Amino acid sequence: MSAAIQEGHAAASSPKSAAEASSAERRGASPSTILLAPTPQRWFDVAAERWRELLVDHANCEKKAASTALSLIFAYPEDMALTDKLSRLAREELRHFEQVQKLMQELHVPFVRMQPSRYAEGLRSAIHRSEPARLLDLLLCGALIEARSCERFEGLAPKLTDPLRGFYSGLAVSEARHQNLYLRLAEQRAGAIDWRTRLQQLAAIESDLVTSPDEQFRFHSGLPG
Ligand SMILES: [Fe+2]
Ligand SMILES: [Fe+2]
């Protein structure tokens, strides 16, 4: 989850800029270029106030990130280049989970069960059911989720105090790297599919999920009511 993205300064990407994102990333450009809309400023304001809840949901997000990588390893075991990269990713996400839990203990934030946000399900519903389009969709969604996480960590960190400020700043760098990984894996496996166009389609769904009004407040939720 790295480019500063607060309302008004992470411009929505044009189709062309998103299409160029993968090569841009290899040059070290901002990962936010694949996102079509910035997170509303109100989300950051609410997140700074409700950081305790956010930390609990964050722990869930790290578990889900590891679980997503593991699911791909099980679903595509013959693709050993992919499984090798995603095994490392799963381990890193679990380390993040351990770090979040440690912070919860230090900051006296108890675990509470939460309903998942609409975000993952909203993206999942757009994923093709048949191959090879399915794998491409899964990888592109992974890139978008990591990009959004990066954007939110980077935008939120300056609004918080340490230890969360430093922790979130560090995670923003990790998430940018994860976004690049998923994007590279997608590009390499796209074959005859126009992955740039597909990325645009999924990015449009993703941007709607994080900018439209949302009754829930979560790490990947939409505009807070
Ligand atoms: Fe993570
Ligand atoms: Fe990640």
Side-chain angles (χ1 to χ4, degrees):
M1 302 190 192
S2 164
I5 304 233
Q6 297 191 17
E7 198 164 49
H9 97 260
S13 306
S14 67
K16 189 179 173 201
S17 65
E20 291 169 351
S22 182
S23 53
E25 285 313 318
R26 284 194 290 272
R27 297 194 303 271
S30 162
S32 66
T33 50
I34 71 166
L35 299 175
L36 290 185
T39 288
Q41 186 59 49
R42 174 149 175 76
W43 185 91
F44 288 110
D45 294 342
V46 172
E49 277 176 28
R50 296 171 66 173
W51 62 268
R52 288 173 172 272
E53 273 173 84
L54 198 71
L55 198 59
V56 177
D57 190 50
H58 178 188
N60 290 329
C61 289
E62 298 292 0
K63 276 186 284 189
K64 276 184 269 181
S67 172
T68 297
L70 274 174
S71 297
L72 285 162
I73 290 171
F74 277 106
Y76 303 96
E78 65 286 342
D79 187 342
M80 292 179 70
L82 179 140
T83 56
D84 184 61
K85 295 272 191 312
L86 292 181
S87 175
R88 290 162 197 262
L89 177 63
R91 279 188 282 148
E92 188 181 354
E93 301 291 16
L94 282 176
R95 276 201 302 276
H96 291 169
F97 169 67
E98 292 162 21
Q99 289 169 334
V100 178
Q101 285 212 135
K102 189 160 177 276
L103 271 176
M104 286 172 65
Q105 287 168 342
E106 286 174 12
L107 298 170
H108 308 290
V109 176
F111 182 83
V112 286
R113 286 178 181 264
M114 288 182 176
Q115 293 291 319
S117 71
R118 67 185 186 184
Y119 183 76
E121 188 50 43
L123 277 174
R124 202 166 20 239
S125 65
I127 290 173
H128 280 103
R129 292 178 189 276
S130 57
E131 300 293 357
R134 182 174 177 77
L135 173 58
L136 182 68
D137 280 3
L138 288 166
L139 295 171
L140 291 176
C141 283
L144 287 165
I145 294 167
E146 298 285 353
R148 184 62 66 187
S149 303
C150 169
E151 183 230 24
R152 291 196 165 182
F153 279 136
E154 190 160 283
L156 186 56
K159 290 178 166 289
L160 301 171
T161 54
D162 279 329
L164 286 177
R165 177 192 284 242
F167 182 51
Y168 284 175
S169 294
L171 286 181
V173 176
S174 301
E175 304 307 342
R177 184 163 36 77
H178 299 168
Q179 181 235 256
N180 294 344
L181 169 64
Y182 273 119
L183 211 53
R184 257 196 323 275
L185 290 172
E187 187 178 359
Q188 290 163 355
R189 285 155 185 78
I193 304 173
D194 181 352
W195 67 270
R196 295 173 176 84
T197 299
R198 188 57 182 151
L199 176 60
Q200 287 292 305
Q201 293 166 348
L202 293 170
I205 294 167
E206 195 274 348
S207 66
D208 185 56
L209 287 165
V210 295
T211 56
S212 56
D214 194 345
E215 287 179 8
Q216 284 182 319
F217 175 70
R218 297 285 188 274
F219 192 84
H220 290 110
S221 57
L223 182 67

